[in-house]
């Protein structure tokens, strides 16, 4: 037996009581994990318009699923703790507990996967934001196009909330036409010259939307002619710190989401420790109660343990049981197809035997 401990009746009662409290703590931890997943999912959905894909959603999806399953699993553990004090009621949990341990181990593995994915998906999140923001800036002017009419409001609110400008920086706005044609005066010489000077016939500006302006700047916002030093008094495009947000929105959003997901790491690890404590304690309680029942002395001493055999032997037993289950689950097609033919072959043989056995009637004399 691996890590065996001797339990008296009093120690079994204390273990059951402590495990009951710990199981309810695990239930609340499951609720916390679920709420954490809902919050993260909501925040991701709020910015879905500036994301190219939803791969990062796997993290909150796993959190919500694990949270719900954890609530139900640990609630079952509280019932087991109550019935462990009654020798007539505890045996009914014997088969269910094997499934319970499997689910509990799977929950811990999924929570560890969440912690790993929170760090591993940072590159995919950045790429998704890069493409999504690029499309959002490109469709900024399409306020009269169905499906894109709210894109301008989304980008403006995003830049003001996260104090950012453009995808990488404010210069991204120089490369797109962000003013709709419906608001351009095509009789103006300046408008005509700008459109003719562009190969694609776009109206490009060395300017940015108002939402890029930093209200903390002492100078009034400069939105247009940002690269023209003569357009503004006492202004140097190369040397002066512009009164615009210097950070790009992709970096701002990546930092925001990664900080959020990284902050969930300690919480998730704490939940894993609680779940593992419940799993180990319940295993000791199960084996200790079953040992006392086997000795037909519910109030006597018994031995509790984690594994009845060594780790290697236990793994081999589990492997053999799984293979046996799979073996019995298989259907032999040749046997299934051959059985009707065999029955048909037996019927003529039986008829022949009956005819041979029946007496031949004697001729009438």
């Amino acid at each position: 037996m691996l890590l065996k401990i001797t339990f008296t009746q009093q120690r079994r009662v204390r273990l059951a009581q402590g495990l009951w409290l710990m199981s309810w703590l695990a239930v609340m931890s499951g609720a916390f994990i679920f709420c954490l997943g809902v919050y993260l999912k909501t925040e991701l959905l709020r910015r879905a318009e500036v994301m190219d894909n939803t791969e990062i959603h796997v993290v909150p999806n796993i959190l919500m699923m694990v949270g719900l399953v954890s609530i139900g699993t640990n609630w079952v553990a509280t019932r087991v703790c109550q019935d462990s004090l009654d020798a007539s009621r505890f045996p009914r949990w014997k088969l269910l507990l094997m499934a319970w341990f499997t689910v509990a181990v799977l929950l811990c593995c999924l929570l560890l996967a969440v912690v790993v994915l929170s760090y591993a998906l940072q590159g995919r999140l950045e790429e998704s934001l890069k493409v999504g923001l690029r499309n959002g800036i490109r469709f900024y002017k399409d306020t009269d196009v169905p499906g894109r009419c709210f894109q301008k409001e989304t980008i403006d609110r995003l830049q003001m909330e996260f104090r950012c400008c453009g995808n990488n920086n404010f210069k991204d706005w120089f490369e797109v036409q962000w003013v709709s044609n419906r608001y351009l005066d095509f009789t103006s010489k300046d408008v005509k010259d700008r459109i003719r000077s562009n190969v694609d016939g776009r109206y490009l500006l060395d300017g940015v939307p108002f939402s890029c302006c930093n209200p903390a700047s002492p100078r009034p916002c400069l939105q247009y002619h940002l690269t023209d030093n003569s357009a503004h008094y006492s202004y140097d495009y190369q040397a002066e710190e512009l009164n615009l947000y210097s950070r790009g929105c992709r970096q701002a959003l990546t930092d925001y989401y990664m900080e959020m997901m990284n902050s969930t790491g300690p919480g998730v690890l704490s939940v894993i420790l609680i779940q593992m404590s419940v799993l180990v304690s319940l295993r000791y309680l199960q084996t200790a109660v079953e040992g006392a029942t086997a000795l037909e002395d519910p109030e006597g001493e018994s031995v509790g343990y984690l594994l009845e055999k060594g780790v290697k032997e236990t793994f081999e037993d589990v492997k053999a049981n799984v293979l046996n289950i799979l073996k019995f689950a298989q259907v032999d097609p040749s046997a299934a197809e051959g059985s009707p033919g065999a029955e048909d072959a037996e019927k003529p043989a039986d008829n022949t035997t009956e005819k041979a056995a029946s007496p031949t009637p004697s001729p009438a004399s």
Side-chain angles (χ1 to χ4, degrees):
M1 297 180 183
L2 183 63
L3 299 177
K4 60 180 181 179
I5 300 176
T6 302
F7 289 89
T8 62
Q9 170 66 6
Q10 186 178 8
R11 291 187 68 182
R12 288 197 297 270
V13 171
R14 289 180 179 177
L15 177 61
Q17 292 173 343
L19 181 56
W20 184 82
L21 292 174
M22 192 179 301
S23 298
W24 278 114
L25 178 61
V27 169
M28 291 186 288
S29 300
F32 165 74
I33 289 295
F34 176 76
C35 293
L36 190 63
V38 171
Y39 174 71
L40 184 55
K41 182 78 170 181
T42 303
E43 288 297 308
L44 289 172
L45 289 175
R46 285 181 61 195
R47 314 297 172 193
E49 293 182 359
V50 294
M51 290 187 182
D52 183 54
N53 57 63
T54 58
E55 292 182 1
I56 193 65
H57 287 241
V58 68
V59 173
N61 290 343
I62 293 178
L63 286 175
M64 290 188 292
M65 180 189 67
V66 170
L68 289 176
V69 176
S70 179
I71 292 173
T73 301
N74 290 292
W75 178 81
V76 171
T78 62
R79 299 296 304 274
V80 174
C81 294
Q82 293 175 340
D83 291 349
S84 66
L85 303 178
D86 188 343
S88 62
R89 299 174 63 182
F90 186 77
R92 65 179 181 175
W93 295 102
K94 184 173 182 180
L95 294 178
L96 183 60
L97 281 177
M98 298 305 297
W100 188 95
F101 289 125
T102 302
V103 173
V105 171
L106 181 61
L107 289 179
C108 293
C109 293
L110 287 175
L111 288 175
L112 282 175
V114 166
V115 176
V116 174
L117 287 174
S118 297
Y119 294 94
L121 291 177
Q122 180 175 355
R124 307 304 295 269
L125 175 62
E126 288 188 24
E127 186 62 26
S128 175
L129 288 171
K130 177 182 178 181
V131 177
L133 285 169
R134 184 176 60 199
N135 292 333
I137 292 174
R138 188 176 61 181
F139 301 141
Y140 180 88
K141 69 180 186 303
D142 297 339
T143 53
D144 54 351
V145 177
R148 301 177 186 171
C149 53
F150 294 103
Q151 196 69 48
K152 176 184 179 299
E153 181 182 357
T154 299
I155 296 297
D156 283 334
R157 291 186 180 278
L158 176 70
Q159 293 188 143
M160 290 187 291
E161 180 180 352
F162 287 90
R163 304 175 69 85
C164 58
C165 184
N167 194 340
N168 299 310
N169 51 56
F170 68 91
K171 295 180 182 179
D172 293 326
W173 290 103
F174 298 175
E175 302 173 1
V176 297
Q177 178 181 338
W178 54 272
V179 179
S180 176
N181 287 338
R182 64 186 298 186
Y183 301 114
L184 295 178
D185 181 9
F186 286 95
T187 62
S188 171
K189 183 178 181 300
D190 179 65
V191 173
K192 291 180 180 179
D193 291 343
R194 285 186 178 274
I195 293 177
R196 289 170 182 170
S197 63
N198 184 264
V199 177
D200 299 326
R202 294 180 298 169
Y203 181 73
L204 302 184
L205 291 170
D206 54 343
V208 296
F210 76 97
S211 53
C212 283
C213 294
N214 185 357
S217 173
R219 182 168 187 165
C221 184
L222 302 179
Q223 292 180 247
Y224 302 103
H225 306 292
L226 296 177
T227 59
D228 186 359
N229 291 334
S230 62
H232 309 285
Y233 176 74
S234 185
Y235 175 76
D236 186 353
Y237 169 67
Q238 299 294 338
E240 184 170 343
E241 182 179 353
L242 301 179
N243 56 355
L244 307 174
Y245 296 126
S246 58
R247 185 171 60 161
C249 290
R250 180 180 61 174
Q251 188 61 46
L253 284 172
T254 301
D255 293 344
Y256 174 72
Y257 284 121
M258 291 310 301
E259 181 180 358
M260 184 187 302
M261 286 191 287
N262 292 342
S263 63
T264 64
V268 172
L269 291 175
S270 300
V271 173
I272 293 175
L273 291 177
I274 295 173
Q275 188 65 58
M276 289 298 297
S277 300
V278 172
L279 191 153
V280 172
S281 300
L282 186 57
R283 177 58 178 170
Y284 274 118
L285 180 63
Q286 176 200 14
T287 53
V289 173
E290 289 180 352
T293 304
L295 295 174
E296 298 182 354
D297 185 10
E299 298 183 357
E301 290 187 352
S302 61
V303 176
Y305 52 86
L306 291 181
L307 298 176
E308 187 175 3
K309 302 177 183 179
V311 177
K312 184 177 180 181
E313 292 80 1
T314 303
F315 176 77
E316 293 295 333
D317 291 345
V318 172
K319 182 179 178 181
N321 291 334
V322 171
L323 291 176
N324 287 333
I325 293 174
L326 295 176
K327 183 178 180 180
F328 285 120
Q330 291 179 349
V331 178
D332 189 356
S334 60
E337 295 176 357
S339 55
E343 293 178 359
D344 295 339
E346 290 176 359
K347 289 181 181 179
D350 293 342
N351 294 336
T352 305
T353 305
E354 290 177 1
K355 291 179 180 179
S358 60
T360 304
S362 58
S365 53

